[in-house]
């Protein structure tokens, strides 16, 4: 049995838990992220772009289970988290489908953290527009780590211009 790992706060910081959920953003994000969630471990590193950060924090909190956790209350929330940890620890083939994702904003300049990144579960890494120039270096670092991934990693870049060879979400 593997011991559970923590959220990688060297690579990213969590989305704003108080943000409202935009249903259209959540639907687009969930469809894109989970569309490849069943891939073989080590094969999934996907990159997309989106024009605006509006609604991303709320959608990421819905995807990572933060909103559900706050609705459950202290004790039911603790039980829910323990059930997730047990399922993750007992899974031999990586992160089981249907579990919450790790979602967070990339810490600008955290290339060294990306080079050693090992996702504990399916991960959405969002990159702010100001950091978009570093996407090539970030992607190269994650590509280096990709053979060790046990779960899909999706990188979503906020950029007014579409990225070459990347999916464009919401227009």
């Amino acid at each position: 049995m593997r011991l559970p790992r923590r959220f990688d706060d060297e690579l990213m910081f969590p989305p704003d838990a108080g943000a409202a959920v935009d249903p259209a953003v959540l639907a687009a994000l969930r469809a894109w992220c989970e569309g490849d969630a069943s891939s073989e471990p080590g094969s999934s590193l996907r990159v997309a772009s989106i024009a605006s950060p509006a609604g991303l924090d709320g959608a990421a909190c819905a995807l990572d289970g933060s909103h559900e956790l706050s609705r459950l209350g202290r004790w039911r929330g603790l039980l829910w988290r323990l059930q997730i940890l047990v399922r993750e620890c007992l899974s031999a083939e990586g992160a089981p489908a249907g579990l919450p994702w790790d979602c967070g904003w990339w810490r600008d300049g955290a290339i060294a953290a990306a080079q050693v990144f090992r996702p504990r579960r399916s991960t959405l890494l969002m990159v702010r527009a100001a950091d978009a120039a570093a996407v090539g270096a970030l992607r190269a670092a994650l590509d280096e780590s990709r053979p060790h991934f046990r779960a899909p990693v999706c990188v979503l870049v906020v950029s007014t211009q579409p990225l070459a060879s990347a999916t464009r979400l919401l227009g």
Side-chain angles (χ1 to χ4, degrees):
M1 180 167 81
R2 290 182 299 117
L3 292 177
R5 291 179 301 178
R6 299 182 63 93
F7 180 86
D8 190 337
D9 59 8
E10 294 293 316
L11 179 68
M12 58 189 168
F13 58 91
D16 176 8
V21 177
D22 178 329
V25 173
L26 176 59
L29 194 58
R30 188 178 300 276
W32 175 66
C33 287
E34 293 179 350
D36 197 33
S38 63
S39 323
E40 293 179 25
S43 66
S44 184
L45 174 61
R46 301 170 64 211
V47 180
S49 66
I50 191 167
S52 169
L56 285 180
D57 280 295
C61 286
L63 191 60
D64 75 9
S66 296
H67 290 158
E68 179 66 20
L69 188 60
S70 67
R71 279 191 290 274
L72 289 173
R74 183 177 182 178
W75 297 111
R76 286 182 35 211
L78 179 61
L79 178 61
W80 184 67
R81 291 177 72 181
L82 287 172
Q83 289 171 337
I84 291 168
L85 286 173
V86 167
R87 284 180 59 197
E88 286 177 346
C89 289
L90 295 178
S91 175
E93 65 277 342
L99 292 181
W101 284 54
D102 274 346
C103 298
W105 289 98
W106 182 53
R107 291 189 183 279
D108 184 24
I111 298 298
Q115 290 170 328
V116 297
F117 180 58
R118 305 294 182 267
R120 66 178 180 163
R121 63 178 58 126
S122 300
T123 300
L124 170 65
L125 180 61
M126 300 175 291
V127 180
R128 295 196 187 280
D131 305 329
V135 169
L138 172 62
R139 186 170 187 171
L142 290 171
D143 262 336
E144 206 173 288
S145 298
R146 186 169 48 164
H148 305 287
F149 290 179
R150 292 178 44 94
V153 175
C154 296
V155 178
L156 181 62
V157 181
V158 177
S159 173
T160 55
Q161 299 299 316
L163 301 177
S165 69
T167 302
R168 184 71 167 180
L169 299 184
L170 298 174

